[in-house]
Each structure stands twice: as structure tokens, then as C-alpha cells.
Amino acid sequence: MTLLSELTRTAVAERAPDAVAVVPVGACEQHGPHLPLGTDLMVAEHVAVATAARLAGEIDVVVAPSVAVGYSPHHVPIGATLTAGVGTLLAQLRDTCAGLAAAGFRRIFLLNGHGGNAELVVVAAREAGQALRVRVGAGSYWVMAWTELVAAGAQDRGRLPGHAGAFETSLALALRPDLVVDPPHRPGTAFARNPAGYFGRYHVEEPDAMAAGDGFSDDPSAGTADDGRRYLVAVVTAVAAGLRKFARA
């Protein structure tokens, strides 16, 4: 059993000191006209649970309840978006870490699935680790798995990670094809990304960029379920390696 919400308090007390608690962090925001609002959270939760299963018998990973609403003000003008403010999200992440520490967990990892949260989960981990005197890590799954995703061809069809483009559409088709509705076609998008991470060497905020693109970054119709399954294998492999290192350091 890997879900914190399914454990008794006795089981938590027994397992927490030697386990890694993983907190999936997502968003509830528009993902173009074709993907569900919870795409980021859906992927983060899947990766967390699949990674826990991959590490079973080696490292005890307990998946905590998710933080479902992230920092998404750049999507609000398009519609169908919930967002937390910077302070609100940081407070929720800190409080979640505090509760896990109080329950006995000494190692906590914030597994992020949404670009808008990328810097904030790191800040939250730093603050929580110092305040709680426990080991707290944070990472966005596509950054943790960048090399593996590039090797799996994730930059060949669309931006990595992009937003609601070929990459995320592939993931959604692999996980919940029933929730994907007629991905639109947008050819000719440039795909290159800096392998150093999501924002590359610096970040420039373009307030209207997402709305100008109808809420998606590149060609969603280029996504396939087969691609998505391959990407998920790459992500789980990389995240498992990251958590293995985190747990043993």
C-alpha cells in the first residue's frame, strides 16, 4: 500500500521514519479545447504512484494527498482556471510538509507537474527543510527526466514540456484517452528547449502569449498514446532514480 490516505495512524507511525513521503503538486487550469483541466495533476499523481511501485522492496515510498490547485494566473484570462496566489501555495506546501514531519516522516519530496509551480516548489522545500529540520526535496518531473525524455523522442513532435501540445496530449492519451477531445492541429511550431531546465537561462513573462495561442503551445494533433506510454516509462525511470538518490543521501 502506497497511499498515505489509506494507511492507519499505527501504520504511518511504523513506516514514516524510514519512508519517503511524496507529495504530487499539480494545477487545475485550461489545457486548450481538448485536454482536461487536471492534466498536470493527473500526470504527477500517476508518476508518484508508479514510482512508488517501481521502488517497492527497495525504498518505502508513501504518496501523500496531492496539492491540486497551483499557481496559474497566466491561464485565468482564457477561462476555466483555478489559481492559488504565491503566498497561498507556499503556505499550503509548507503546511503539508509540517504535517508529514509531525507524523514522523524525515524525508519529503514535492513532485511537481505544473510549469507555474516550478520555482515555488523549490522555495517551499528550502523553507520547510530549514524550519522543520527534515530532508525536503522538490523537482518537476520533466526536468528530472529531461535526458530520458529527449532520448525517448519527446522533442521530436512538440515542445518539451510545452502546454497542452504534443507532449502533454500524448501523456493524456496514454493515461485517460476518454478525457481527450479532438486535439486541434497546429503545424510548424519550433520545438527547441534548453536542456538546463524548463526556463533555460532566464525567464521572460509574456502576459498574453498563452491566450494568443488559444491555450496550447504547439501541435496537439501530433501526440499519440504510444508516445505517451514511452514518455511515462522514461519519466518513472528517471524519477525513481532521483528518489533513490534522495532517500540514500
Side-chain angles (χ1 to χ4, degrees), residues 91-188:
Q92 185 171 3
L93 294 171
R94 288 194 301 262
D95 288 350
T96 298
C97 290
L100 291 168
F105 289 95
R106 315 310 296 168
R107 292 170 294 180
I108 303 164
F109 196 90
L110 306 176
L111 181 63
N112 178 45
H114 168 54
N117 300 337
E119 304 97 334
L120 297 178
V121 295
V122 174
V123 172
R126 286 176 172 169
E127 290 194 347
Q130 290 296 323
L132 302 170
R133 312 309 297 172
V134 299
R135 186 174 179 81
V136 184
S140 298
Y141 74 81
W142 64 90
V143 177
M144 297 175 72
W146 188 271
T147 300
E148 292 82 358
L149 284 170
V150 171
Q155 287 197 110
D156 297 344
R157 297 180 184 272
R159 291 179 178 174
L160 176 60
H163 180 77
F167 177 70
E168 286 194 320
T169 299
S170 294
L171 297 179
L173 285 169
L175 292 174
R176 289 296 303 273
D178 56 307
L179 299 180
V180 180
V181 182
D182 298 328
H185 180 53
R186 178 188 288 164

Side-chain angles (χ1 to χ4, degrees), residues 25-29 40 67-76 81-90 92-93 112 114-121 199 203 205:
V25 186
C28 185
E29 63 185 18
D40 294 343
V67 175
V69 177
Y71 181 67
S72 304
H74 46 305
H75 292 283
V76 170
T81 295
L82 305 182
T83 187
V86 170
T88 300
L89 181 58
L90 287 174
Q92 185 171 3
L93 294 171
N112 178 45
H114 168 54
N117 300 337
E119 304 97 334
L120 297 178
V121 295
F199 292 121
H203 175 66
E205 187 69 17

Side-chain angles (χ1 to χ4, degrees), residues 41-56:
L41 182 63
M42 175 175 67
V43 175
E45 289 180 333
H46 170 83
V47 172
V49 172
T51 300
R54 173 76 65 89
L55 294 172

